[in-house]
Amino acid sequence: MLLRRPFPLKWHLALLVVGMLLPVVLFTGIVLHRLAQSERAMAERRLMRSVRDLASLLDREMSGTIRTLSALAESERLDRGDLPAFYAEASRVLKTQPSWNGVILLSPDGQQLVNTGHPWGTKLPGANEPASLKRVVETGRPLVGDLVPGGLRRMLAFPVRVPVVRGGAVQYVLTAVMTPKALESLVAQQTSPNEEWTRTVVDGRGVVVARSRAPERFVGQSGTPSFLRLIREAPEALHPETTLDGKPVYLAFRRADLSGWTAVIGVPRDVVEGPARRSLLVVAGIGLALLTLSGLGASLFSRRLSRSLRSAALAADTLALGRRPEPRPSSVAELARLSEALERSAELLIWKGRQLNEQLARTEAARAEAETASRGKDHFMAMLGHELRNPLAPIRNGVYLLRELLPPDEKVERVRTMIERQLAHLTRLVDDLLDASRIERGKVVLQTQPLDLRLVVREAAGDFEGQLDRAGLAFHLTVPETPVRIEGDRTRLAQCLGNLLHNALKFTPAGGRVLLSLSVDGGLARIEIEDNGAGIDPALLPTLFQPFAQGPQPLDRSQGGLGLGLALVKGLVELHGGTVSVASAGTGLGTRIAILLPLAQPQAEEEPVLSAPLRLLPEVLPPGLGQGLHPDDPP
C-alpha cells in the first residue's frame, strides 16, 4: 500500500541510491560474517584440542599411579601374607609419590587390612568408597573412584584401585588415596591463556575434582543438571552453558579413556561470539553512514529536477481540462521531449474525441438492432416450434392407420418403419427447439412435488432398456436401497435423463456399455450416465452446454440433432437448483455426465409414490403419439 502512494522525487532518488548501496553493504556484511564464523570455528577447534590434551594429561597422571600400584601389588610379602612387612614397604613407596595421600590394602569384602595413614596394629574401618571397590572385584581391572570425603577430618579424596590377583582370583585390592591437590598442576597448565577462562576436571558422577579458578569454592560440588546431561550423552562436545557461578561460557569437554573422568575447559561466550558481533556492527555503522550521505546528495540533486517535473505535471493537468498546455523549457532532454509529446497529445485527443463520439453513436444503434433481432429470433423460434408440431400428430396417426388398414407387405412395412423412425427424430428435434425457446424466455414453470428420485431413474432406464438392447449395448443400472427424496418436476427430470440416455445410445457403437447410477453425495443426489462410446474432443468441452454446440458431423449428418439436448438438460437442472457436468478423456474414450440435485429436507411422513412408471396403452393411442407433449403446450 505504501508503494502505491506518490512520493517526492527526492525519495525515489534516495531509494535508488539505497538499492545500489544496500547489496554492496549486505555482501560486505556476509563476507565479514563468514570470516568471523571461520575465526570462531578455528577458536572452537583450538578449544577442543586443548581439552583433549587436558584429558590426555589426566590419563597420563592416573596411568602413572596405576603402574606404581601394579608394581607394588607384585610384592612377595603379599604372597607370603606378611602384612606388617608390606606395611613398611608401602610406607617407603608412599614417600616417593608426592601426589599420594596414603596407601590402603583392602580385602575383597571391603575391610581395610593395611593403611599407611594409621600406625600398624590400629583397628581400621571398612572401605570409604565401596562402589569402586566392588567394580574392581567384579572386573579384575584397575579403576579410578569418585571424589568423596574420608578420614577423621572428612577430607575430600579419591581412590585409585588396583586388584591384587593370585591364583586367578582377586585376593586384595590395593588403593592409592589422592586429594584434589594432586591435579592442581594439570588444570593450571593453560595452553591458550587469552582464550581459556577456566579448566576443570570432574569425576564419573560430575563432581568437580579440580578447577583452575576458585577451587576452594567449587571443588566437591556437582555440575549443573544440563552439564551432567551433556557429559552422559556424548564423550566430547562443545556447547553453550552457564557455570556454577552464573557465567555464560562455551564448555568444551572430553571424557578420559582410562579414568572415565571428564576434562572441561570453559571460554567466555564473548571470546567466541565477539568477533562476529563486532564485525557486523562495524559494517552496519559504515553502511548506515553511506546511505545517509547518499540520501542527502540525492535530495539536493532532486530539487532542480523536481521543478522541471512540476512544470510538466502542470502541463498535463491543463491537457486533462481540454486546453492546450504551455510547458516551460527544461534543461533535461527527456523532460523537453515530454513537453513536445504533451502538445502532440492535445491535438490527438481532440481528434480522437470526435471519433469516439461517432463510434459510440454507431455502437448504440447496432446494439438496438441486435436486441430487436434477438427478440424477433425468440418469437420466430417459438412460433416455428408450435407450427412444426401441428402436422406431426396427423402424420403419426396416418402411419398408425397404414399399419392397421393395409395388408401385411414387406416393402410397405419397410417404408412405414422408415417414416416412424424419421418422425420420432423430427418430433425430438421440434421438442428440443421449443423447450430451448421456453427456457431462454423464462417460460418454463416446474411442477415440483416431493418424489423418490429412484423411480424417475428406473422409469428412464425402463424406457431405454429395449432400445439399448436392440443396439447391442450392455446396460447397467445402480440405485440405492433407501429412498432418495428431492423436490422436483418428475416430467422434466425424466426429460433430462431421456436426453442423456439418447445421446449415449446414439454415440456408443454396438458392443459398448452404458452405465446409469444414482447415489447420495453429502446433501446432494448424484446421477451419473457413463458410456465407452465416441467421447468428446477436449476442445469442445467448454462450449458443450451452449445451444447448437456440436462436434464435427459427417456430411449425411447420420447422428442428427440440433445440439440442443445438453443445453436443455443444463437449463432444466439449474431450474431445480442443481448442476450438471461432463467429463471425457478424449475422442473414442467415452463420456461421463453427472447431475447433482439438492436433497429434500426430511419429512415426518413419506408421501406414497407409484412403484412403476405410467405408460400409454397402444390400444388407446398410436405408438409415439404422446411423445414430445409438455404441460404448458396448448391442447
Side-chain angles (χ1 to χ4, degrees):
M1 294 299 294
L2 292 177
L3 293 178
R4 296 178 183 176
R5 294 177 52 191
F7 287 95
L9 177 64
K10 61 181 179 181
W11 291 111
H12 288 277
L13 293 177
L15 289 176
L16 177 63
V17 172
V18 170
M20 294 175 62
L21 291 180
L22 192 57
V24 177
V25 175
L26 290 177
F27 175 75
T28 305
I30 292 172
V31 171
L32 291 178
H33 180 64
R34 294 298 297 271
L35 290 175
Q37 284 185 329
S38 177
E39 184 178 349
R40 172 178 173 174
M42 291 178 61
E44 291 177 355
R45 287 194 294 270
R46 289 196 299 269
L47 191 57
M48 290 304 299
R49 187 166 55 249
S50 297
V51 78
R52 292 186 187 111
D53 292 342
L54 179 58
S56 298
L57 290 174
L58 177 62
D59 274 350
R60 191 176 301 122
E61 179 71 22
M62 298 303 176
S63 177
T65 299
I66 291 173
R67 284 196 302 270
T68 303
L69 286 176
S70 298
L72 184 59
E74 298 298 328
S75 174
E76 296 179 355
R77 295 170 178 81
L78 292 178
D79 295 338
R80 298 192 305 268
D82 190 358
L83 297 183
F86 180 76
Y87 174 84
E89 183 179 1
S91 299
R92 289 194 300 271
V93 172
L94 178 62
K95 294 178 181 179
T96 64
Q97 302 296 320
S99 61
W100 293 9
N101 197 49
V103 177
I104 301 175
L105 184 68
L106 300 102
S107 63
D109 59 0
Q111 178 59 47
Q112 293 188 22
L113 303 176
V114 174
N115 190 332
T116 59
H118 298 276
W120 174 254
T122 305
K123 185 178 181 180
L124 301 175
N128 191 34
E129 204 258 323
S132 59
L133 175 65
K134 182 178 179 182
R135 291 199 301 271
V136 171
V137 173
E138 291 175 351
T139 62
R141 295 182 178 180
L143 61 79
V144 181
D146 295 325
L147 185 69
V148 294
L152 298 177
R153 293 179 295 174
R154 307 300 293 171
M155 180 178 60
L156 292 174
F158 60 90
V160 179
R161 303 188 190 276
V162 173
V164 179
V165 181
R166 297 292 187 271
V170 178
Q171 186 173 355
Y172 304 103
V173 175
L174 188 59
T175 301
V177 179
M178 303 179 68
T179 63
K181 290 185 177 181
L183 304 179
E184 288 181 354
S185 60
L186 292 180
V187 297
Q189 299 175 8
Q190 295 192 18
T191 57
S192 303
N194 294 330
E195 294 181 357
E196 299 179 14
W197 183 72
T198 180
R199 293 161 67 89
T200 308
V201 174
V202 298
D203 63 11
R205 298 175 303 164
V207 176
V208 177
V209 179
R211 195 172 191 266
S212 61
R213 187 181 295 269
E216 66 282 356
R217 290 178 51 195
F218 300 108
V219 170
Q221 293 190 26
S222 178
T224 61
S226 58
F227 171 71
L228 297 179
R229 184 174 62 254
L230 285 174
I231 63 175
R232 284 195 301 267
E233 293 175 351
E236 70 173 14
L238 177 66
H239 198 272
E241 189 58 65
T242 302
T243 62
L244 290 172
D245 51 353
K247 301 293 185 182
V249 296
Y250 275 94
L251 287 184
F253 64 87
R254 165 75 180 185
R255 186 181 303 138
D257 297 328
L258 179 62
S259 63
W261 288 11
T262 303
V264 185
I265 296 180
V267 177
R269 294 187 191 178
D270 186 63
V271 174
V272 179
E273 300 174 351
R277 189 185 305 115
R278 286 189 292 271
S279 298
L280 291 178
L281 289 176
V282 170
V283 172
I286 295 175
L288 183 60
L290 290 175
L291 292 176
T292 302
L293 293 175
S294 301
L296 292 176
S299 177
L300 295 175
F301 176 74
S302 65
R303 290 183 181 179
R304 180 179 177 184
L305 191 57
S306 296
R307 288 194 293 267
S308 298
L309 289 177
R310 282 195 296 270
S311 176
L314 181 60
D317 292 339
T318 304
L319 177 61
L321 296 175
R323 299 193 299 268
R324 187 179 297 278
E326 296 180 358
R328 297 178 181 178
S330 174
S331 59
V332 180
E334 288 79 1
L335 292 177
R337 288 196 295 270
L338 175 61
S339 299
E340 297 174 359
L342 288 174
E343 293 181 357
R344 291 194 299 270
S345 298
E347 298 176 358
L348 183 61
L349 285 176
I350 295 173
W351 179 71
K352 287 290 185 181
R354 289 195 297 267
Q355 281 194 334
L356 179 60
N357 292 333
E358 296 174 0
Q359 186 67 29
L360 286 175
R362 288 194 296 269
T363 301
E364 288 294 329
R367 185 169 63 86
E369 293 178 2
E371 291 177 352
T372 302
S374 178
R375 287 192 297 270
K377 183 263 297 182
D378 293 341
H379 178 72
F380 170 76
M381 295 294 287
M383 181 183 67
L384 179 63
H386 281 286
E387 292 300 325
L388 287 176
R389 286 183 57 191
N390 288 334
L392 293 181
I395 296 174
R396 188 179 291 111
N397 288 331
V399 174
Y400 175 72
L401 292 175
L402 287 176
R403 183 180 62 185
E404 296 295 328
L405 299 178
L406 294 179
D409 183 83
E410 182 180 355
K411 293 182 179 180
V412 173
E413 182 65 20
R414 189 162 54 247
V415 173
R416 189 191 61 78
T417 302
M418 178 189 67
I419 295 174
E420 281 187 343
R421 184 173 63 252
Q422 297 301 325
L423 182 61
H425 181 61
L426 180 60
T427 301
R428 189 177 190 89
L429 293 179
V430 173
D431 288 342
D432 287 350
L433 190 64
L434 189 58
D435 283 339
S437 176
R438 289 194 186 100
I439 291 176
E440 187 173 354
R441 291 180 292 138
K443 297 297 184 179
V444 174
V445 179
L446 299 180
Q447 304 294 326
T448 60
Q449 61 178 343
L451 55 88
D452 185 354
L453 194 56
R454 296 181 303 167
L455 300 182
V456 180
V457 173
R458 285 172 178 156
E459 287 177 359
D463 291 342
F464 279 84
E465 186 174 6
Q467 301 180 48
L468 294 168
D469 184 62
R470 288 191 296 274
L473 302 179
F475 180 58
H476 302 278
L477 172 65
T478 304
V479 295
E481 297 181 357
T482 57
V484 181
R485 296 294 186 186
I486 68 167
E487 292 283 340
D489 188 325
R490 184 170 183 164
T491 302
R492 293 302 187 181
L493 291 175
Q495 182 182 2
C496 292
L497 294 179
N499 279 345
L500 297 180
L501 288 172
H502 179 74
N503 284 347
L505 171 65
K506 186 166 56 174
F507 294 106
T508 304
R513 70 175 188 278
V514 177
L515 309 177
L516 173 60
S517 65
L518 171 64
S519 61
V520 176
D521 187 0
L524 299 173
R526 185 182 188 92
I527 304 174
E528 286 193 357
I529 298 178
E530 183 177 357
D531 62 68
N532 61 347
I536 302 173
D537 188 348
L540 188 61
L541 288 176
T543 61
L544 196 63
F545 290 103
Q546 296 180 5
F548 308 109
Q550 288 181 299
Q553 295 284 340
L555 293 177
D556 60 354
R557 293 188 60 83
S558 59
Q559 303 293 355
L562 297 174
L564 293 173
L566 290 179
L568 288 175
V569 172
K570 180 176 183 293
L572 293 175
V573 169
E574 289 180 349
L575 287 176
H576 282 81
T579 59
V580 59
S581 61
V582 61
S584 175
T587 305
L589 299 178
T591 305
R592 185 177 69 253
I593 298 179
I595 295 176
L596 296 177
L597 296 170
L599 295 175
Q601 296 296 328
Q603 302 293 327
E605 295 184 3
E606 294 184 354
E607 183 178 344
V609 296
L610 294 175
S611 60
L614 293 176
R615 298 182 183 273
L616 296 175
L617 298 177
E619 292 79 9
V620 179
L621 290 175
L625 187 58
Q627 295 182 8
L629 298 181
H630 297 277
D632 53 349
D633 285 343

